[in-house]
Amino acid sequence: MGRYDEYENDGRAVAPRQRDFVLNMNEFAHILSKTDGNIKCAVGPFQTSLSQQETPVIFNTVNKRFEECGDYDKAKQLFISAPEGWYVVLKNPTADGQHPQAGRPNQSPSNLEIGKKVNIFGPESFALYPGQMAKVIQGHRLRSNQYLLARVYDADAANKNEGVVTDTDGKEQKTSNKFFPGQMLVIEGTKVSFYIPPTGIEVIPVDEKNYIRDAVTLERLEYCILKDENGNKRYLHGPDVVFPKPTETFVKTSHGGYCFRAIELSKISGIYVKVIAEYTENGVTHPIGEELFITGNEQMIYYPRPEHAIISYDGKHMHHAIAIPEGEGRYVMNRETGEIKTVVGPKMYLPDPRKEVVVKRKLTSKECQLWYPGNVDAIEYNKSLNEKSLEKNIKKLGGVSDIKNLIFNSAFSDVASMDCLESNAGISRGTSYTKPRTITIDNRFDGVITIDVWTGYAINVTSKSGTREVVVGPKTKLLNYDETLEVLELSTGRPKTTDNLIKTVFLRVENNKISDLINVQTKDFVNVQIKVSYCVDFLEKYKDKWFSVENYVKYMCDRQRSLLKREAKKYNIEDFYTNASDIVRKVCLALPNENEERGESEVGREGRFFKENGMLVHDVEVLSIAVEPNVADILNEHQGEMIRKCLELSDATRKMEVVTKLAAFEKEEAKIRYDNQIHKLELKKTLEMEELKAKEELDKKEREQLEAKKQAECDMQTLIDAITEAKLERTKKEDATQLEYEKAKANIEKAKQEAYAETVSKIVTAIGPDLVAALTSTSNASMLETVTKSMAPYAIARGNESVAEVTDRLLRGTNLEKLIENLGKVKE
C-alpha cells in the first residue's frame, strides 16, 4: 500500500495531493491522466511527482482494459527481456518498430498496428507501450524424435521475414519458403535441431508451457497408424521415427499409446480380413469385397494395411487351430454348401473362416440318456446349447464389455486384441524357476459326438443317407453330423413281457445273460413253473443281422417258451419233474436228438441258433422248478419212499460188496505170500550161482597173474644179460678209444719236440757277427739312456757341464767308459 502522511480529524488517513513516483533502470509503468484519458509510458530510470489527476494503471490482458493500481509497487513492470536463443511475440507493435525511450515519459503512439503480431529475436529488452502485449518464449531445441507444429497466420510477413533454423549438423540457416495463410507446418527434429519462427508463423503449443511434441519411435514388429482429416490412414512400420503430416493425427491404442504390435502368425494361426479398397500386390489384383484368410504359411508377420479391414468375432481377431487329440474329432460345416464333415485327430486343424465354421451338435435329453447312460453332465451341457441360455450367460457376465475383458485377461489368447505390448530394451532375469508353457485341452463336450463301445457290446450307426454300420467294442466311434444310433427296446421282468420295456443303443453280443419264468403243463395236466437263465451270444459272421430284431429278448423267450410247452406235453409229471434239467436243455439248446431247427451245421457250435438276428443260445441253466402244492406233496412223499427204498437197496448192495471184496482180498493175500516165497528161493539160488561164478573167475585171474609174473622174471633176466653184454662191449670200445687217443697225443708231442729242435738249430745257424753287434749297440744305447736320465739332475746342479760330459766323466774307468765313443761311431 502507499504511504499516507496526513490524517483527517477522525483519524482516517488521506492520500497526499502530490506523490513521488520513482522507476529504476529496467522498469516501466503506465500513468493515466484522468483529465484527458491519455496514458503515458514512463520508462526508468525516471522520477516524477504524480498529481491528483494522475494514477498508475495496469493493462489487463484478459479483458483488454486498463485497471487503476493504488499500489505504486504493483504498477511497476519489468522490461520485456529475451536473451540469446529466445524470442518475443509482440502484439500490437508500432509501425516503425520503435519502443518507449528510457529515462522519460513516452506518449502513446498513434501508429500502433492493432491486431498484428511480430516475432522479435533475442537478445532484446524493451518496455511496452500502453495496449501492447508480449510473451517471451525460449527457442525450440529439438531432438531427433521431436517435432513442432506451426501455423502461418500472416503469409506476407512470413514470406518477407526469415526465421532462425539450426540444422542437425549445427549450421545455422535462414528459412525462405513461400507460405500461404492458414498453412500448417511440421518442423521435424531429424532435419532441424533449433528453431525460432519468423514473423507470420506461430508455433502451436501442446499446453500452456510445452511446445515440443514427441514423434513416435517404432521398433521392429511395431507399427503406427496416422489418420488424416479426410479419413485416409497411413500405416508405417518400424524401425523408424514417424512424424505426422500437419493434417494427420496418431491413432491411439486401447492402452493410450501409439505403437501397435505386428500380428505374429504361425502355421496354426491366421487372421480374417476383408478388402475395402482395391490394390495390387505381387502382380495380383484384389478387388473390393474380397475376403482373405492369411496364415503363417503365406506371411509369418502381418502388418495391417489401409486396404484391409480385420474381421473379428467376439472381439478377437486371431483364428487359432483346434487341437484334436487322438480318437476325437470336430464337425466342420461348409458355409457355402451347408455340407458338414468330420475332421478326425490327431491334428491341429485351422478352419478357413471364409468357407468353414466349426459347429456343435446338440443332442436331445432322450439321446443323451440312451447314448450316455447315467451321464448327468452330458444332459446339462446339451440343455445349455441354445440361444436363450447363451443370452442369460452374457447377462450374468455383465454385457459384452465384460466378455471382452474376460477374453483379454485370459492369458492374452488373441495377439491382435492386445493392440500394443510395452517394449523393454533391458534384460531382466528372475531368481525363481519359470515353469514351461502348459495348456489344458478340454474337449469333453466341444468336439464330435464320441461313443465308447465297451468290450462285449455293439452299436448300430445309421445315417440320413441310408448307410449303416455295426461297431463292435472295444472301440471308440466318432459320429458324423448326420449319423445316429439305432435304439433297441428290450423286455424286462419275469416272465418277459412288453409291459415294461427298457430302451438302449448298446447290444450285449458276448456272454449275455437272460432269465425267464416259463409256465408249462405236463401230459397229466399238471402245471409246472420253470425258472431258467439263458447264456446268449451273437455270432460275428451274422453281424449285419444283429439289429434286425428290435426286442430280441422277448423274441427269444417266446420261441423257447413255445418249444418247451410243446415238449412238456410228452411227459407225465413224475418223468418231467425227475428229468426237468435234461428236458429243458434238450429243447432250449436243440441237442442232437432234436434235428429240426438245430442249426449246428450252419453255425458250427452247439446251441439253438436264431438266423433272424444271428443269435445263439449256447447254454441254459434251470434255476428252479415249482408245481401245484398238492402235487408237490404227492411228489415229495413218493420221492421220500423212493429214497428210503433206494437207501435200503444201497445198504444191502454195499454189504455184499464188502463181503465179496474181503474174500477177494484174502485170496489175493495168500497168492501174494506164495509168490513172495517163490521169489525169495529164486533169489537165493541166483545169489549162490553168482557167488560160485565169481570165485571161479577170481581163481582164474590169480593163476593168470602168477604165470604173468614168472614170464616177466624170465624176460627181465634176458634183459639183464643183454644189458651186461652191452656194458662190457661199451667198456672195450672206451678202452680202445682211450688207447688210440694216448697214441695220437704221444705222436703229437713227439712231432712238437722235433719241430722245436729243428727251429732252434735254424736260429743258431742264422746268428752272425753283425747281428751280435747290432744287439750289443741297441743294448748299450738303452743303458746309456737310463744312465743319462739319472745324471741329468747332477749336470743341472753343476751348471757349467752338459749331461754328456758329466756322463762321460763319471763312466771313466768302468766297463762303460767307451760307450759314448762307440755310439758316436755307430752314428757315423
Side-chain angles (χ1 to χ4, degrees), residues 489-503 551 553-554 558 561:
E489 293 184 347
L490 307 180
S491 297
T492 60
R494 286 189 296 267
K496 293 293 187 291
T497 63
T498 57
D499 297 337
N500 187 13
L501 299 177
I502 182 174
K503 294 184 179 181
N551 191 347
V553 174
K554 188 174 185 303
D558 289 348
R561 188 182 300 119

Side-chain angles (χ1 to χ4, degrees), residues 421-433:
L421 296 176
E422 295 295 334
S423 61
N424 186 2
I427 298 176
S428 176
R429 295 180 178 177
T431 57
S432 62
Y433 170 71

Side-chain angles (χ1 to χ4, degrees), residues 466-504:
T467 60
R468 61 188 299 270
E469 178 188 5
V470 177
V471 181
V472 183
K475 190 175 183 181
T476 298
K477 173 63 178 177
L478 303 181
L479 298 184
N480 292 329
Y481 196 83
D482 63 336
E483 290 180 339
T484 185
L485 303 181
E486 184 173 347
V487 180
L488 299 175
E489 293 184 347
L490 307 180
S491 297
T492 60
R494 286 189 296 267
K496 293 293 187 291
T497 63
T498 57
D499 297 337
N500 187 13
L501 299 177
I502 182 174
K503 294 184 179 181
T504 181

Side-chain angles (χ1 to χ4, degrees), residues 605-673:
R605 290 178 59 185
E606 186 180 75
R608 182 169 296 281
F609 175 67
F610 294 84
K611 61 182 180 181
E612 293 83 1
N613 62 345
M615 180 172 55
L616 176 68
V617 181
H618 62 86
D619 193 14
V620 61
E621 180 184 3
V622 179
L623 301 177
S624 65
I625 297 178
V627 297
E628 298 175 0
N630 54 349
V631 177
D633 294 338
I634 297 173
L635 290 175
N636 291 332
E637 183 179 355
H638 176 71
Q639 188 68 24
E641 185 65 24
M642 291 301 296
I643 291 173
R644 282 193 296 271
K645 292 181 179 181
C646 288
L647 290 175
E648 291 176 359
L649 178 62
S650 177
D651 186 45
T653 303
R654 283 197 297 271
K655 288 180 179 180
M656 182 60 69
E657 289 177 355
V658 170
V659 173
T660 304
K661 289 183 178 180
L662 286 174
F665 287 155
E666 291 177 357
K667 183 179 180 179
E668 186 69 23
E669 184 180 1
K671 184 179 179 181
I672 291 172
R673 288 198 191 100

Side-chain angles (χ1 to χ4, degrees), residues 254-255 315-318 407-408 412-419:
S254 60
H255 305 294
K316 295 187 289 185
H317 301 343
M318 288 289 290
I407 295 171
F408 180 79
F412 294 104
S413 60
D414 191 352
V415 176
S417 65
M418 295 163 58
D419 290 334

Side-chain angles (χ1 to χ4, degrees), residues 734-745:
E734 289 178 355
D735 293 343
T737 302
Q738 185 68 26
L739 181 60
E740 289 294 330
Y741 174 73
E742 293 295 336
K743 288 181 178 181
K745 186 177 180 181

